[in-house]
Amino acid sequence: MKAVLLDRDGVINALVYHQDAGVVDAPFTRSQFKLLPRVPEAIRLLNDLGLGVAIVSNQPGIAKGHLKSEMLKIFERAMLSRTREAGARIDGIYYCLHHPEARVRKLRQRCRCRKPEIGLLEQAAADLKVSLSECYMIGDGIPDMLAGSRAGCRTIFIGRWKCEICQFTEAPQVRPAFVAKDLLEAAEFIRSELSGTTQVAYSSGCLPANV
């Protein structure tokens, strides 16, 4: 394995409850953007393992009118600053800004980059000069797992893989190789897997059918 592709919201930074809309979503303001605990440490560990690290993230907030493009850049600068302070490196950042029901007309489209499509993953892998089969895909949502599976990546789910989630996946092979509580636990699993010391395929949640 040569690279790790990361979703952003829920993996790198915390999701936000937007009380006015009654939804849990990505941050819309600077004060809402907060890195999750242990994220810089996790990315540094992936760097130390010699793996490329790229973020591949659906970001429809601009299309939906929730924020301006400058705010997305502010989030990005904050993320990069925090990771650099910890001695960690992110090699590439790839966003899909589209949404099929966007308020911003130029962003209203069905595209190949919005996960669960694999366009973002293909672009990141090409720039990192690796094949998708040499990549881990880490995310906290079904679109991340679907995209990773379709692309031939090894997938890791952040959160709890509840049994009711399985009904929303297209096939048993979409289920992740590992379920981690956060990015550092995922990175530690990758370290153990690359060193050949992995003992357990799943840490928690619903077991795959063949276990």
Side-chain angles (χ1 to χ4, degrees):
M1 307 298 280
K2 296 181 179 179
V4 180
L5 309 179
L6 304 173
D7 181 42
R8 198 197 76 176
D9 303 308
V11 175
I12 300 292
N13 60 275
L15 294 167
V16 177
Y17 175 64
H18 298 277
Q19 188 171 5
D20 54 342
V23 297
V24 176
D25 205 339
F28 299 160
T29 66
R30 176 65 187 89
S31 63
Q32 293 173 339
F33 187 85
K34 300 182 186 304
L35 255 62
L36 288 165
R38 311 200 303 171
V39 162
E41 182 183 353
I43 295 174
R44 188 175 67 241
L45 173 55
L46 296 174
N47 296 154
D48 292 344
L49 292 172
L51 300 169
V53 177
I55 292 171
V56 288
S57 178
N58 294 348
Q59 290 295 324
I62 297 171
K64 293 180 178 181
H66 295 318
L67 68 159
K68 300 295 185 182
S69 58
E70 180 55 36
M71 187 59 63
L72 191 60
K73 294 176 183 176
I74 289 172
F75 295 162
E76 186 175 306
R77 288 195 291 269
M79 176 177 62
L80 291 174
S81 175
R82 288 284 307 280
T83 52
R84 286 172 184 152
E85 287 172 3
R89 183 190 73 254
I90 295 172
D91 299 302
I93 300 174
Y94 304 86
Y95 299 134
C96 171
L97 302 180
H98 308 117
H99 194 277
E101 300 175 2
R103 291 174 57 186
V104 179
R105 180 165 299 187
K106 67 179 181 179
L107 297 175
R108 188 188 307 149
Q109 58 176 282
R110 297 187 181 278
C111 58
R112 287 196 69 256
C113 53
R114 179 175 169 79
K115 293 175 292 181
E117 301 300 326
I118 67 172
L120 282 188
L121 283 66
E122 290 176 326
Q123 184 180 356
D127 290 348
L128 291 170
K129 296 180 171 55
V130 300
S131 71
L132 284 166
S133 63
E134 297 171 321
C135 296
Y136 290 93
M137 174 69 220
I138 302 179
D140 70 326
I142 292 172
D144 304 312
M145 300 299 99
L146 287 171
S149 176
R150 292 170 178 175
C153 301
R154 188 152 172 76
T155 56
I156 298 176
F157 186 81
I158 299 292
R160 288 191 61 220
W161 186 260
K162 300 178 183 179
C163 289
E164 58 265 30
I165 293 177
C166 299
Q167 66 182 303
F168 295 107
T169 62
E170 294 181 346
Q173 62 266 27
V174 172
R175 298 178 191 176
F178 184 70
V179 177
K181 66 182 180 182
D182 61 15
L183 186 55
L184 183 58
E185 186 175 76
E188 290 170 343
F189 168 78
I190 290 173
R191 177 174 61 187
S192 65
E193 188 167 70
L194 295 181
S195 67
T197 60
T198 304
Q199 299 295 320
V200 180
Y202 261 58
S203 68
S204 59
C206 189
L207 291 175
N210 61 352
V211 171

